[in-house]
Amino acid sequence: MSKKYYLTTPIYYPSDNLHIGHTYCTVAADALKKFKTLQGYDVYFTTGSDEHGQKLMQKAHEYGMEPKEYIDHIVDNIKALWKTMDIDYDYFIRSTDEIHEKNVQNIFQKLYDKGEIYKSEYEGYYCTPCESFWTESQLGEGHTCPDCGRETHLAKEEAYFFRLSKYRDKLIELYNEHPEFIVPESRKNEMVKNFLEGGLEDLSVSRSSFKWGVKVPFDDNHIVYVWIDALSCYLTGLGYGWNDEQFNEYWPADVHLVGKEIMRFHTIIWPAILMALDMPLPKQVFGHGWILFDNDKMSKSKGNVVYPEPIIKLYGVDALKYFLLREFSFGSDGSFTKEKFMARLNSDLANDLGNLVSRTVSMIIKYNDGVIEKTDAKTEFDDGLIELATSIRAKVEKAMETYQFSDALEAIWTLVRRGNKYVDETTPWILAKDKAKKDELNNVLYNLAESLRIVSILISPFLTNTAKEIRRQLGIEGEIKLEDASEFGLLASGAKVTKGDVIFPRLDIQEEIKKLDAENKALADKREKDLEEWIAKAGGKKPEAKKIEEAKEDEAAPITIDDFGKVKIKVALVESVEDHPNADRLYVLNLKLGDERRVIVSNIKSHYTKEELTGKKILVITNLEPKKFRGVESHGMLMAAQTEDGKLSLATVMEDIPDGAVVN
């Protein structure tokens, strides 16, 4: 009986604007499932959508629809995309599924009965998009959310609380006794430093200010909040409450793959809830980085969104998967550009793999009527090729144990590149001119085909369609087995190759970027039209765009010149920019103002790269009281203008004014 393996991606917020950044974790999980299956594991993979909360309710109501009918269309599109991308999940859990809502109520009741949940009152700064409460010390400048940078508002409401504070010591003990629980290790250090060192506060786990959610089973005035609702999807998706036999076979999860921004939920709140339920904990939580666009987060308002469907249409799903898994180290942030994508396709897929397949099959057809023949003849280059080919499997398995997809693919590509070099070393076109060297020629062609057979096995979890096409062209039939990648010489003599299209043609980068941009725009327009049609069909309507009206003088109370004189504004030179050590969305700017140096913390990371800021002269308010943002003290505030669609522009000077100059 094969060993069970349970794998999850996060239960995603259902977005109608899915771009390649949203596909990253799911592509990685799919590759991991396929690789573990190839190793002989019985893998169960869940993904899904987190569909409750104030933000979705408000969005649906803007369209004159109920939340569920609005979300149904989005979920249909998500499932359609996963089908297009050949994502082999076993269960798509929706938090609105009836069985899940029942589970949520049962779990809430259990925690309440055990005294782990109690009723009280909560007051704090609430971020509607993130659906999170924050204390004042946690906020960004201008009372903005430390996670998303948007405005928060002071809110007070009755709530039920989970006794999270009592699990601080148990969580630290978990981290110490099981250092593999959180990976990479840097994520564990963040959790300890940012959340556990200073103690934990009890967690609000219900809301009474809106109704879109699962009702608390014993209090109709409250709904169960996201921490218990969304996180317990990992249980429901596996069979908890509806297939207990299956659930008990696979739980606990072997790994939760999650984005780094939600590590706190999965490594502090989630294990504490499971401890309170006396349930086994997941074996591991891996926090991956983000896919940025030119070092900036993708967003519709910035106009920098790249959708997966046009890439798949023009270059195939394997090209997209290869780029995402090969270009970036899974634990770190990576920056997507269309130029990088095209260059990677040309170098790795066209020049390396596509070229090796094409020239191997073409030479077998040209020099031996398409028949692969195994001979006893040898060249001086054979042993090196064979030794490398049979060593790759172990390197790939080692890399995949730590989710280093890029390293696994790089190991495979050492064999691909060695195959191309082997062609140049053995010069089959010269051997073909000498009839006495027919056996040596066939040996060279066989070794090339056999190397590609091994490549086809090892790339199959990552580039499934490409692996199948290579095997089809080489006349290889039967099931793909990982153990067959460790032996050289398994390709049957007498197999007949079939010439196919070039699997990855070389691209004209600038021309292809134009094509991709056009397809991207066409898809964005189509999505907008489809959404409007869906809303109309459901009886709703798209809200009118907000009108930007000119400000009137009497809209705000006037201030005197003395009031304005209290504000001190100076020109500052940005000497350097650093990432905030404890907040992913904040920058720490080191400024020079004449003879003075000062530090300002700002949430402009989603609007500017470090390179764009360094060396610029900007305007800053210098006489504000210092304030700490996630442990870093800020001395002042940047001046900027922001449009209604979220675009931000820092205030600067037209002339080359010296830094430190006072703005009058």
Side-chain angles (χ1 to χ4, degrees), residues 93-310:
I93 175 68
R94 300 181 62 175
S95 64
T96 53
D97 289 343
E98 184 178 347
I99 184 59
H100 178 68
E101 293 189 343
K102 182 179 177 182
N103 276 343
V104 170
Q105 290 186 317
N106 289 340
I107 288 170
F108 198 96
Q109 185 72 58
K110 285 180 182 178
L111 292 171
Y112 183 76
D113 292 344
K114 294 180 69 175
E116 299 286 351
I117 286 177
Y118 63 93
K119 194 174 187 179
S120 187
E121 194 172 66
Y122 193 87
E123 181 174 4
Y125 289 87
Y126 187 68
C127 175
T128 300
C130 293
E131 299 183 349
S132 296
F133 273 104
W134 302 99
T135 62
E136 187 159 5
S137 64
Q138 293 173 316
L139 295 174
E141 62 184 74
H143 291 97
T144 52
C145 173
D147 272 356
C148 73
R150 296 179 177 91
E151 279 190 29
T152 63
H153 62 276
L154 194 60
K156 183 176 182 179
E157 64 177 86
E158 184 182 72
Y160 286 91
F161 286 78
F162 170 64
R163 297 186 189 277
L164 182 63
S165 59
K166 69 181 276 189
Y167 290 96
R168 174 186 176 273
D169 292 343
K170 291 183 179 180
L171 289 167
I172 292 174
E173 182 181 344
L174 168 67
Y175 296 175
N176 290 336
E177 292 184 359
H178 299 278
E180 76 286 355
F181 178 69
I182 303 178
V183 283
E185 187 176 2
S186 59
R187 306 277 186 249
K188 179 183 74 174
N189 297 336
E190 289 170 5
M191 295 304 106
V192 173
K193 181 178 179 181
N194 297 345
F195 301 107
L196 296 183
E197 278 186 356
L200 290 173
E201 295 182 359
D202 287 350
L203 184 72
S204 173
V205 290
S206 78
R207 293 288 183 269
S208 58
S209 55
F210 60 93
K211 298 299 181 184
W212 176 237
V214 181
K215 285 186 178 181
V216 169
F218 46 82
D219 191 337
D220 287 348
N221 293 322
H222 288 258
I223 59 154
V224 180
Y225 191 49
V226 62
W227 313 126
I228 293 177
D229 184 358
L231 289 167
S232 59
C233 282
Y234 298 130
L235 306 179
T236 306
L238 184 57
Y240 185 83
W242 59 274
N243 189 341
D244 290 337
E245 181 180 352
Q246 176 176 279
F247 178 80
N248 291 329
E249 283 183 351
Y250 287 91
W251 188 262
D254 288 88
V255 63
H256 292 311
L257 299 181
V258 303
K260 63 180 183 179
E261 74 280 7
I262 53 176
M263 284 296 282
R264 177 174 70 101
F265 312 151
H266 288 81
T267 60
I268 293 178
I269 297 172
W270 181 225
I273 289 172
L274 292 171
M275 288 175 185
L277 291 168
D278 297 318
M279 293 184 67
L281 305 185
K283 298 174 186 175
Q284 195 166 73
V285 180
F286 188 99
H288 65 78
W290 296 331
I291 299 296
L292 307 173
F293 183 86
D294 276 337
N295 295 310
D296 195 3
K297 290 206 76 174
M298 290 189 192
S299 77
K300 203 171 182 179
S301 64
K302 296 173 188 172
N304 65 357
V305 171
V306 179
Y307 298 111
E309 292 93 337

Side-chain angles (χ1 to χ4, degrees), residues 557-577:
I559 64 172
T560 68
I561 191 67
D562 292 333
D563 292 327
F564 181 75
K566 296 175 183 177
V567 181
K568 303 299 181 185
I569 304 172
K570 290 186 178 182
V571 177
L573 173 67
V574 182
E575 290 192 311
S576 63
V577 184

Side-chain angles (χ1 to χ4, degrees), residues 437-463:
K437 294 188 176 181
K438 179 66 172 177
D439 283 351
E440 189 175 335
L441 172 63
N442 281 339
N443 167 68
V444 168
L445 299 178
Y446 179 88
N447 288 344
L448 288 170
E450 178 66 353
S451 297
L452 282 171
R453 179 191 67 81
I454 291 175
V455 167
S456 74
I457 294 171
L458 297 176
I459 67 169
S460 62
F462 314 100
L463 290 80

Side-chain angles (χ1 to χ4, degrees), residues 34 38 86 317-319 321-322 349 353-354 357 361 409 412-413 416 449 451-481 503-504:
K34 288 170 178 168
L38 196 60
D86 187 31
V317 67
D318 282 5
K321 288 183 175 181
Y322 180 80
L349 298 181
L353 182 59
V357 173
V361 172
L409 287 166
I412 299 168
W413 250 251
V416 174
S451 297
L452 282 171
R453 179 191 67 81
I454 291 175
V455 167
S456 74
I457 294 171
L458 297 176
I459 67 169
S460 62
F462 314 100
L463 290 80
T464 306
N465 298 321
T466 302
K468 290 177 181 176
E469 177 59 16
I470 291 173
R471 295 171 78 83
R472 186 193 70 80
Q473 291 195 31
L474 292 176
I476 303 172
E477 298 179 351
E479 181 185 357
I480 293 178
K481 296 179 181 178
I503 54 176
F504 291 107

Side-chain angles (χ1 to χ4, degrees), residues 414-427:
T414 59
L415 177 56
V416 174
R417 290 191 289 266
R418 185 68 187 85
N420 279 311
K421 184 179 180 182
Y422 180 78
V423 174
D424 298 334
E425 291 169 336
T426 56
T427 59

